[in-house]
Amino acid sequence: MGKLIYMDNAATTFVDKRVLDAMTPYLTDRCFNPSSIYDGAQDVHADLDNARATIAKTLNASDREIYFTACGTESDNWAIKGVAHANADKGKHLITSKIEHHAVLHSMAALEKEGYEVTYLDVDENGFVSVDALDKAIRPDTVLVSIMYANNEIGTIEPIKEIAEVCHKHNVYFHVDAVQAYAHLPIDVKELGIDMLSASGHKFNAMKGTGFLYIKKGTKIQNFMDGGAQEFKKRAGTENVAGIIGMAKATEIAHSEMKERMEHETKIRDYMIDRILKEIPYSKLNGDRVKRLSNNLNIGFEFIEGESMLLALNDLGVCASSGSACTSGSLDPSHVLLAIGLPHEKAHGSLRLTVSHETTMDDAKLVCDNLPKIVERLRSMSPLYEDFVKKNK
Ligand code: PLP
């Protein structure tokens, strides 16, 4: 097989070499516990503080508002369950959307089992939450709204500032799952009015097992883990020092290169969308054309299965992803594609390609040159397509 063409950056990213270099000393010569008293350990403690400050600065937050976690899933769980539990005396109603990641949806479902009520907002055909519908859904007993910044499957970017305004009008906390957006586009939590924000290191070239939750000062939230005094006594456990140092380095790099990365990715994304839609009949872009992540394309192809496309692309050395939740061990179509109104058979025929600053135009061309042939071959084996052609002769 030739060169690997990695177009699954929404699933995870490669660790940047500069990140790895920044991490190495904390796994070797400086592997001290930051809670220890001797000089070397106190230096590591200071480095952790600097990492926290670096991340806080990227969001226009203060250092004390950044809490290190192990992943985006943990951050989502903490924000949702932590606020629900700490504010149960005020009310037990929460609001989210139907296209959230399972880290959010399953946290909500767990709360439902405890007696909380959850409203799952519909989205429109491009995946947008309606700010008006949200306004109407908020009740006197609503304590939290959780809406993602950008969708992991279709890339749609939600109207975060408008949503925040509605939440604050009603005095309700607003959590944002920014796992796909943080370090990929500029975010100012103060300007946007965000109370809590989840991020995950492995989505922006840091290692897996790293993440953080921004919690605005004054937010009433339960501790995530009790134990030592780490993370301002809210999330105990000896810190993943090397991971955190690496995540801070990764975010520094991502923010300093953000403009060029976004321009590069947008160019590749648009080139691919234009070519695929033009060259492959019965194909359609899922998600909004404009308000979408610069690295995301998600295209539905009628009459074929996403999985067979993935296998054919795999043979070419292309790593991609489809619309069905096969990673979770089920072949159900994606809840996101169903929520934007696709029928089951169309949701099954979707392909997600997520590029990066490292994707080249040659990579994009190779995929675009081959995809029409793959789709044609798969359709030639499809009884559905055969019926369709017969009927339309
Ligand atoms: N939220 C969104 C939108 C995601 O895309 C993901 C991962 O794909 C997560 C949460 C979970 O993040 P992690 O893999 O760090 O647990």
Side-chain angles (χ1 to χ4, degrees), residues 97-275:
S97 85
K98 288 188 179 164
I99 62 164
E100 300 298 312
H101 190 271
H102 285 130
V104 168
L105 293 177
H106 291 173
S107 295
M108 293 286 179
L111 288 170
E112 283 180 298
K113 286 203 184 111
E114 291 178 29
Y116 287 78
E117 268 186 82
V118 181
T119 299
Y120 297 89
L121 295 174
D122 285 321
V123 293
D124 72 10
E125 70 280 5
N126 285 331
F128 291 115
V129 166
S130 151
V131 178
D132 266 359
L134 170 66
D135 198 10
K136 291 194 182 90
I138 295 180
R139 317 188 312 208
D141 61 340
T142 309
V143 288
L144 174 76
V145 170
S146 178
I147 302 290
M148 68 204 321
Y149 204 109
N151 185 267
N152 45 305
E153 291 189 39
I154 56 173
T156 298
I157 298 172
E158 298 295 340
I160 295 300
K161 192 168 181 185
E162 290 79 357
I163 293 172
E165 278 163 13
V166 170
C167 292
H168 295 147
K169 184 175 86 178
H170 294 280
N171 214 8
V172 169
Y173 286 122
F174 180 36
H175 165 248
V176 176
D177 174 347
V179 167
Q180 293 293 338
Y182 176 75
H184 292 276
L185 48 78
I187 301 178
D188 181 326
V189 287
K190 290 213 173 71
E191 217 241 331
L192 292 167
I194 295 171
D195 297 317
M196 284 169 293
L197 177 139
S198 302
S200 171
H202 76 102
K203 308 291 188 182
F204 56 93
N205 308 103
M207 66 175 271
K208 292 168 193 59
T210 61
F212 69 85
L213 179 64
Y214 156 77
I215 308 176
K216 187 178 159 187
K217 189 166 174 275
T219 302
K220 211 170 148 203
I221 185 165
Q222 231 180 24
N223 291 355
F224 186 70
M225 292 220 262
D226 296 310
Q230 296 92 351
E231 302 310 302
F232 314 114
K233 297 192 179 152
K234 287 194 177 306
R235 198 269 188 193
T238 302
E239 299 88 341
N240 173 6
V241 179
I244 291 167
I245 300 287
M247 179 165 64
K249 183 71 183 172
T251 200
E252 207 174 80
I253 297 170
H255 281 82
S256 71
E257 297 176 1
M258 188 177 278
K259 191 168 168 287
E260 296 75 31
R261 287 183 178 192
M262 286 179 76
E263 280 168 10
H264 175 77
E265 289 169 1
T266 304
K267 203 166 112 200
I268 295 207
R269 177 197 74 186
D270 290 347
Y271 167 84
M272 294 184 78
I273 293 176
D274 288 343
R275 268 197 70 185

Side-chain angles (χ1 to χ4, degrees), residues 6 8-15 184 201-206 208:
Y6 187 69
D8 201 18
N9 286 279
T12 197
T13 58
F14 290 99
V15 173
H184 292 276
H202 76 102
K203 308 291 188 182
F204 56 93
N205 308 103
K208 292 168 193 59

Side-chain angles (χ1 to χ4, degrees), residues 1-5 307-320 366-367 370 374 377-378 381:
M1 196 191 285
K3 182 190 166 208
L4 184 84
I5 298 183
E307 281 66 40
S308 15
M309 258 185 299
L310 293 189
L311 294 176
L313 285 170
N314 180 50
D315 289 343
L316 287 172
V318 179
C319 305
L366 184 133
V367 173
N370 283 281
I374 292 173
R377 181 168 56 79
L378 293 173
M381 298 186 282

